[in-house]
Amino acid sequence: MKRYFGRKLLVYILTFVLAVTIDWMIPRFMPGDPISILISRFGPRQGGYEALQGYFTSAFGLDVPIWQQYLNFWRALFQGDLGISIYVFPTPVIDVIMRAIPYDIALLLPAILLSWLAGNNFGAIAARSKRLDDTILPLGYILTATPYMWLAILLGWFFGIVLGIFPIAGAFDQSIPAPSFSWLFISSFLVHWFLPFISLFLVQFGGWAIGMRNMIIYELEADYSHYLEALGAPTRLVRRYAFNNAVLPQITGLALQLGVVVAGALVTEVVFSYPGIGYLILQAIQNQDYFLLQGCFLFIIFGVLLANFLIDVAYVLVDPRTRMGMQGEVG
Amino acid sequence: MGLQVENLTVYYQTLRGSVQALEDATFSIADGEIMGLAGESGCGKSTLSNSLVRLVPPLKLIRGRVILDDQELPVADVERMNAYRFRQLSVVPQYAMNAMNPTRKIGRMTSELLRSKRVDYRAALPEIKRRLDLVKLPQEVLKMYPIELSGGMKQRMVMVLSTLLNPSLLIADEITSALDVSTQKAVAEMLVEFRNREFVKSIIVITHDISILYQIADSIMIMYAGQLAEKASTETIIHSPEHPYTKMLIASLPEVGVRYADTRLTGIPGKPPLLLDPPVGCRFRHRCPVAFEKCVEAPPFLEIAKDHFVACWEVFRKYA
Amino acid sequence: MTASTVIEPKKRSETLYFALRNNKLRIGVLVLLFFIVLTFVGPMFTDYEPYQFVSSGAQPPSSEFWFGTTTLGHDVYTQFVLGLSSTFIVGIIGGGLGTLIGIVVGFTAGYRGGVVDELLNILTNIVLVIPALAVLLLIAAYLEVRGIIAESLFIGCLAWPWTARAIRAQTFSLRNRDFVDLARLSGMKARKIIFSEIAPNMMSYLLLAFILQFGGAILTAATLDFIGLGPTEGISLGLMMNNAVLWGALLLKVWWWFVPPGLAITAIVGALYITNVGLDEVFNPKLREM
Ligand SMILES: Nc1ncnc2c1ncn2[C@@H]1O[C@H](COP(=O)(O)OP(=O)(O)OP(=O)(O)O)[C@@H](O)[C@H]1O
Ligand code: SF4
Ligand SMILES: [Mg+2]
């Protein structure tokens, strides 16, 4: 188990270092002198130069040797200093991101977990009967093949505009001044949340249902299933065991799918102007707010790595083989 | 009592046609008998075993009856057979190494399996522990996952598990082939021990390895290309077989019973026929040195001497 | 001697036989063919440029503008058929590169084993956990000029880990099969066995891998284009959806603008997946009964 986590952590740490390095390198080594563009972007703004000076000397410090610059970048990072946003000038990037994060969590966590649960259960049901299989399977393939933004657009257009029952922009009504624990806010939040949530949910659901259906069929052909059947165990027991074992690769799959899901969330937020990281990224790109973009990049990587780690812990809890430290490699 | 099989014929239904893997098998096994079942790879040994235990597509029952303890088994009815499996009829599968759910502790799996058969695990626990002692497994295995056991241990665990409800008939398919020679011997002797203690009444031991059968089997049945060739006491099969195929088979073995060599039934020239479109009559006739016109008809499986059954026209001619 | 010569042609015709009567494969290939033909033939039926002002905005589909016009007065059909070719280019180049890197990394890791395997495995896992789109965003955002080829190459460079892992596992299992011993026992013929048994086995596998990479690259490119970081020149299906959202197609109910591009992507990627499953059933006799 130690070895298992050791390897995982090694990969995660290396990944994070690599990501930070990419984040540091890209503006410096891209063609077309992006740094000066970066600086020039701040020029016309009131107090722009002063605001930048602190970050530039700590994180960029262009007059020191390159390795020093790299170390300085790391130091600034550990102090939570990701620069100043242009889009919401002069708020520090880290604050802008922190404001967006709760919306991402509110959207992604339920969408990922619920679609995973629902997909697994439907997939297991599909594996049980030919008729259901014939409907759920094609539906599943269509859903996984659907680009996230397209489903979001279709749902927004149909339920938001044609039927007019859901709002299609923002996270809550504009007339509400600030988030609070009032019924007014919560209900407004929920109706704004529903469409982005359901479109994220549906696309993933298809993938999980197909995955589970295939895994169950595979497990039902495993030796232990045949042995149970040879001993006349009821179908219920055989299926339960198959399900329990088929869930394991689905957990691994969850970790592997995170990147795709995050990408899906980004574009879904863009469609619904939902104020999470995805929406920020769009604004950053349109406003050429590179600090914000880079900050978002680091947060996405960090979030994905963290989620991967949590999934690893969950996996160890459910698969005894990893605890025995003998086999059962994941991820 | 015991097992009676009458005209059992099962085919694999495939897109290319029927694979006629078992044709008119008629034989019986007495209570207390350990019968070895041998024959070249692909001759239908596992098919015979499966058609008794779990006859599911693509396997299809064409005709025949199976009677165990004076009761006809509904072999073609997967659901109704469940009542007989494990209690009356059980298996130690070829794949015993992977037969246990990898993510359940063995004790828990056992209890769930027993509960599904309406047997109380608690009540059965003392007996389980006695049997674990008998096969020299520590009682702690019940708290372990299969992965924590060695191959031999898993094999013994599955043997204990399969026989827990004292079935009348146990089928052991190739249970020794994955083991080293000394473990093979121990496992084989364990089967005899199980029979002697009446955990099981009779056993069918399927193997390529005649030397194992020489050690433990009371009788041996030889199959060829989906047909029964000969069944007799072990002594008779080894020392005075009648069927031409059995004769060649035994003659090809190096000093059976003296060495535990890896004697496989491969030393006969020619190839068995494909069972998709087998020759009519005796399926051995293209390789048989004494074949004659009559052999285009399928020979019945007849008792030529007490407990000595043969399916061969040449032999019948001799005994006629 | 006889066995292999007799069985070989039979095996091949059997694969073909199953391929022709596999419904999933038939549907998948038919849909793909439809879009491929449309990509080549479609542009012949339009005289417009994708960004040419052809009419007052937001005309619904008509005999003149088959797919209607955008709110900006562009012809949707023109954008659509030209966008299709971008989609296939990304699929072929991005998916091809992803497959190629995956094969090289996976085969090297599986074949060499040991330290090489260990290192490549770590590399594979790193690229696997990094969300590809995030990296693509960052790179694309800093590029002033972006071409479709470059986009495809970047996508391919980040998409290979899946394939590498699958190929590695496959190589391992093939290497550990007794074919080497078998070849030695039967005289020589190791090469013959590699080419008659291993290679065809691997080929079907690679085809399946490529199909999945193809579909993945299309989806990634569409996502990137949708955020506005696609090629700076030309048109693509993702860009069409991006423009539709930016220019108020939802509010103005100009559904003919955003339905075709998404539908095409869904149909193409879905057809690829279904083809994949169908081929898997054809190559893998165990799955045929289902
Ligand atoms: N699922 C199947 N579909 C079609 N034919 C099958 C199937 N399983 C087995 N057969 C065929 O049935 C025949 C008997 O197979 P069986 O597995 O019973 O042989 P066996 O005697 O147990 O061989 P082995 O000693 O190798 O285990 C073989 O010719 C085999 O090709
Ligand atoms: S029946 Fe005929 S072919 Fe068959 S074994 Fe006897 S003699 Fe040989
Ligand atoms: Mg067998």
Side-chain angles (χ1 to χ4, degrees), chain A residues 44-85:
Chain A
R45 308 219 175 207
Q46 182 70 26
Y49 184 71
E50 289 73 23
L52 259 188
Q53 209 169 23
Y55 184 61
F56 263 92
T57 37
S58 65
F60 276 72
L62 293 172
D63 47 348
V64 296
I66 200 99
W67 58 268
Q68 187 92 45
Q69 290 181 28
Y70 183 62
L71 291 184
N72 287 345
F73 187 78
W74 272 100
R75 189 172 312 138
L77 183 68
F78 277 121
Q79 288 161 358
D81 191 353
L82 297 169
I84 306 291
S85 168

Side-chain angles (χ1 to χ4, degrees), chain B residues 256-318:
Chain B
V256 172
V258 182
R259 275 183 295 141
Y260 284 91
D262 188 21
T263 49
R264 294 288 153 104
L265 309 182
T266 48
I268 302 179
K271 270 191 173 110
L274 292 174
L275 301 185
L276 198 54
D277 183 20
V280 289
C282 176
R283 293 180 182 175
F284 187 55
R285 67 176 205 274
H286 298 297
R287 285 164 89 187
C288 179
V290 292
F292 61 110
E293 316 82 63
K294 184 75 176 158
C295 303
V296 294
E297 284 171 46
F301 198 54
L302 296 182
E303 190 167 21
I304 54 163
K306 179 155 174 30
D307 292 329
H308 189 170
F309 295 81
V310 181
C312 171
W313 294 118
E314 174 62 25
V315 177
F316 299 157
R317 198 151 68 171
K318 198 167 91 190

Side-chain angles (χ1 to χ4, degrees), chain A residues 222-235 237 240-242 244-245 248 318-321 323-324 326-328, chain B residues 53-54 79 82 85-86 89-91 93 95 98-104 108-109 112-113 116-117 145 147-148 158 161-162:
Chain A
D223 288 338
Y224 69 87
S225 298
H226 286 317
Y227 181 56
L228 283 177
E229 286 166 340
L231 294 187
T235 319
L237 185 66
R240 181 147 61 88
Y241 278 14
N244 288 342
N245 289 327
L248 300 176
V318 291
D319 188 349
R321 285 168 294 186
R323 283 200 298 276
M324 300 310 137
M326 295 178 80
Q327 55 161 194
Chain B
V53 180
R54 227 175 86 77
E79 288 299 314
N82 271 352
R85 296 188 184 116
F86 202 10
L89 172 71
S90 192
V91 280
Y95 47 81
N98 305 314
M100 289 181 285
N101 184 349
T103 56
R104 274 280 195 282
R108 175 142 176 235
M109 184 208 145
E112 287 173 339
L113 184 60
S116 78
K117 290 273 159 185
Y145 291 97
I147 192 175
E148 297 173 82
V158 169
L161 208 54
S162 292

Side-chain angles (χ1 to χ4, degrees), chain C residues 12-13 63-64 97 99 123 131 145 165 183 189 209 225 240 249:
Chain C
R12 201 159 299 148
S13 67
S63 56
E64 192 184 355
L97 184 65
T99 315
L123 179 70
V145 183
R165 290 179 112 206
K189 291 188 188 130
D225 295 358
M240 283 177 76

Side-chain angles (χ1 to χ4, degrees), chain B residues 41-42 44-47 94 173-174 206 208:
Chain B
S41 184
K45 305 182 293 293
S46 300
T47 306
Q94 194 160 359
D173 190 349
E174 298 282 359
I206 298 177
H208 293 264

